[in-house]
Each structure stands twice: as structure tokens, then as C-alpha cells.
Amino acid sequence: MTKFKPALGLSNNHLQSMLSSSGPRQFFEKRRANQLLRLAKQHIITTPQGVTLEGFLTLHNSATPSAKGLAIILHGWEGCADSLYVLSSGQKLLDVGYDVFRLNFRDHGDTHHLNPELFNSARLEEVAEAVKYLCVEFGGKHNLLCGYSLGGNFCLRVANIAKTANINLHQAIAICPVLHPPTTMAELSSGFPLYEQYFVAKWKRSLIKKLRHHPQLGYGRALKKLKTLDDMNLFFVDGFTDFASRDDYFEAYSVIDNGLSQLAIPTTIITSEDDPMIPAKHLNSLHQSRWLSIELQAKGGHCAFIKNWKFESWASDRIAELAS
């Protein structure tokens, strides 16, 4: 395993985390991912349960089948298929011979109109069904699932049920995955204030967009009064999920303890000791398995691992290396 070593001036975990999806990296990453974006074709997936999801498929060579297989990439909470970290890893995987599918979760990207019910992080079935369909429809000799942050959490949970659910996956890679949701929410609420402000603002924008398409949800007046992530989680878990409490909801997508006890495909977690949202201590609480490898780096922030002042990601390089 190669070790991540940031360039001089890029060691700060908050700087790393912010550069992951914003700032001057936008210009560089969209240029680097030109092929991935230019050749992408939109696909609409309808699961057996009637859920509609959107994504974008890029073939590594449109004239021939994929030499390696299909790489499916899952973005983080309030990210999308065009998030910079998704574009970075997507282009790298395209370069090493994979077809690449960038999936939007429900109510992410511009998909708020597709389903009447709200997104929540416990909706594993629809993501698993989408991955299953993609592996059948576009899969090849080696199918890879890759996810970041909350997408990394979904990645681990899909990998955990892949064999029992007959999902034709061969490998999973999760970058800075959410491990214990109550801890991550506590870190966001009480840590560096910019993170909570960022997610409150993005979540509110998403919920307002949803309401424009589905006014029957009727939470508009209440939303104006909600100021913190705690406020929003309490309101929406209570009013828009079947969970009896916020704790029950968080437990539904936790992966610690026995959450990964069914793993039967090679699965790698890449994360950092200085992640400001996901404490590395919870890695010790994961179910030990011969299928699970953990690559813990000293630096890297949250889903960043920016290695130089061209804002290139070491994590994208490592994903391509692991998938080769």
C-alpha cells in the first residue's frame, strides 16, 4: 500500500476537506474529467419497488465491450454524480479500463421530481436494487462498487448483502465511510462550525426543491424554523420516516458491531486519522472479516487526500490501483 503524503501547505484537515468538493479544484477536476463527462449518457432506473433513480454511464470505449467491467460510484450526502471526488475517481477508473456509472441517490442532483417520498439514509433496498440492475445490464468480468462518505456507508451495506441478494459485485471500496451515524452527527453539530452550516444550508436547499415538485409534503413553514442538524433530524425522522426515534433511524444505517458480518467480497475502507467528521476509533468496532481491509492514513481530511497544488487526489489513484 502506498502512503498518502500531502504537498507542503496541504496538511490541514479542514483545508483538505473543503477542497474535496469546492474551491479551485472545480476548474481542474472538470477539465481532467472531460472524457468522463463528454461521453456520459443519462440512464433512468426503476427498481422492482417502483423507485426511480438517475445516473450517468460512460463507456471506456464505445466501440467495444469493457475490458475490465463496470465501476459504480456513489456520492456523499447532499453531493451528486458530478461531485468533484466522483469525477476524479470516475475518470481514473475509466482510464484503467472500466465502464463507469455515477449514480444519484434519491433527491440528489436534479432528481427531486422522480419520487414523492423523501430520501433518508436507511433506504438501502433501492440502492441495492439499482446496483444489482446495473451489474446485470452493464456489468462485465469485474464489477466494482465505490462510495464516498454516506455513499461509502451505502457501499459497505450493499457489499455486505451482495452474495445473499445475488448482486454480481466482485469488489467494494469505501472512502471515509460513515461508520456510526450518531457520532458523525455529533461531530458535525459540535465541531468546526462551518461543516454544520454547510450541511444545513445544502439540506434546506434540497428540501425546498423537493417541495416545489411535491407540495403535498407540506413542511415548508416548519422548515424555516429549523436551524441545526439536530432540529432537522428530529423533525424529519419523526414526521417522514417509520422509525420510532432518531436513535432507531441512526442504528438502521450504522455498520459497526455486526453491520458487516455478511461480507463475502473483497472490501476496502480508505480513511484518515484526521477526518473531522468520522472518528477513526470506530474502525475498531467493525466486524473482523477476512474480506475486509482497512487502509488508515495519518492525513487526508474527509474524502479528500489532495496530494498536490493541482488538487489531484491520492484516493482516486489508490482506487484505480486497487481495482487494477
Side-chain angles (χ1 to χ4, degrees):
M1 179 185 71
T2 57
K3 289 287 186 181
F4 170 63
K5 185 177 180 180
L8 186 66
L10 283 173
S11 292
N12 182 271
N13 62 336
H14 299 306
L15 177 61
Q16 283 274 335
S17 301
M18 287 184 282
L19 285 173
S20 173
S21 57
S22 61
R25 190 184 181 198
Q26 295 184 59
F27 172 76
F28 290 96
E29 213 58 76
K30 288 180 179 179
R31 287 186 64 186
R32 283 192 287 261
N34 174 265
Q35 183 186 13
L36 181 78
L37 292 166
R38 180 170 48 85
L39 300 179
K41 302 294 184 183
Q42 181 196 48
H43 285 268
I44 300 295
I45 301 166
T46 302
T47 73
Q49 296 75 31
V51 176
T52 305
L53 300 176
E54 175 204 55
F56 300 90
L57 176 68
T58 306
L59 301 179
H60 88 286
N61 184 338
S62 58
T64 61
S66 174
K68 289 196 173 177
L70 178 69
I72 303 165
I73 307 178
L74 306 177
H75 58 77
W77 184 39
E78 293 305 329
C80 69
D82 287 337
S83 290
L84 300 182
Y85 50 85
V86 173
L87 298 184
S88 175
S89 55
Q91 185 62 53
K92 289 288 185 179
L93 288 163
L94 195 68
D95 290 342
V96 296
Y98 283 88
D99 294 336
V100 177
F101 195 97
R102 296 171 289 125
L103 181 69
N104 274 319
F105 294 139
R106 175 198 295 240
D107 297 348
H108 288 72
D110 292 318
T111 70
H112 299 76
H113 61 291
L114 294 179
N115 302 283
E117 301 87 2
L118 288 168
F119 170 82
N120 71 61
S121 302
R123 294 188 183 276
L124 176 63
E125 183 179 50
E126 63 198 52
V127 177
E129 289 288 356
V131 171
K132 184 175 184 178
Y133 165 82
L134 291 169
C135 289
V136 171
E137 193 71 13
F138 305 113
K141 291 183 289 186
H142 189 89
N143 300 323
L144 165 72
L145 183 63
C146 176
Y148 288 80
S149 193
L150 182 60
N153 172 278
F154 271 98
C155 174
L156 292 175
R157 287 185 288 150
V158 172
N160 187 55
I161 63 170
K163 287 297 183 183
T164 56
N166 294 314
I167 302 173
N168 190 31
L169 276 176
H170 304 97
Q171 186 179 8
I173 304 172
I175 300 86
C176 299
V178 173
L179 302 173
H180 186 241
T183 300
T184 293
M185 279 298 167
E187 293 290 332
L188 289 173
S189 298
S190 62
F192 189 46
L194 187 62
Y195 297 129
E196 180 172 37
Q197 294 165 14
Y198 172 84
F199 281 110
V200 166
K202 289 204 77 171
W203 192 7
K204 281 195 170 187
R205 285 198 296 270
S206 176
L207 288 165
I208 290 168
K209 190 182 292 188
K210 182 76 171 185
L211 205 56
R212 292 195 192 109
H213 295 287
H214 301 282
Q216 74 279 5
L217 292 168
Y219 51 71
R221 184 173 298 178
L223 184 62
K224 295 177 182 178
K225 301 177 182 178
L226 304 175
K227 304 299 183 185
T228 68
L229 288 175
D230 281 343
D231 292 342
M232 295 177 75
N233 276 311
L234 285 168
F235 177 80
F236 284 102
V237 170
D238 182 57
F240 293 88
T241 77
D242 295 328
F243 293 98
S245 69
R246 185 178 54 169
D247 289 343
D248 287 347
Y249 167 60
F250 286 153
E251 184 60 33
Y253 66 103
S254 173
V255 296
I256 65 169
D257 299 329
N258 292 321
L260 300 180
S261 60
Q262 299 179 66
L263 271 182
I265 62 171
T267 299
T268 304
I269 292 174
I270 300 170
T271 193
S272 65
E273 292 179 357
D274 69 351
D275 189 319
M277 305 176 200
I278 301 169
K281 65 182 181 181
H282 286 297
L283 293 169
N284 297 322
S285 300
L286 294 173
H287 179 82
Q288 293 187 6
S289 169
R290 67 185 181 93
W291 297 104
L292 180 64
S293 300
I294 297 172
E295 299 189 357
L296 179 61
Q297 303 293 325
K299 299 287 185 179
H302 182 66
C303 294
F305 301 98
I306 306 301
K307 65 181 182 179
N308 56 36
W309 287 101
K310 294 179 181 179
F311 307 107
E312 294 175 306
S313 171
W314 170 90
S316 297
D317 294 340
R318 182 59 181 151
I319 290 165
E321 186 179 29
L322 287 167
S324 296

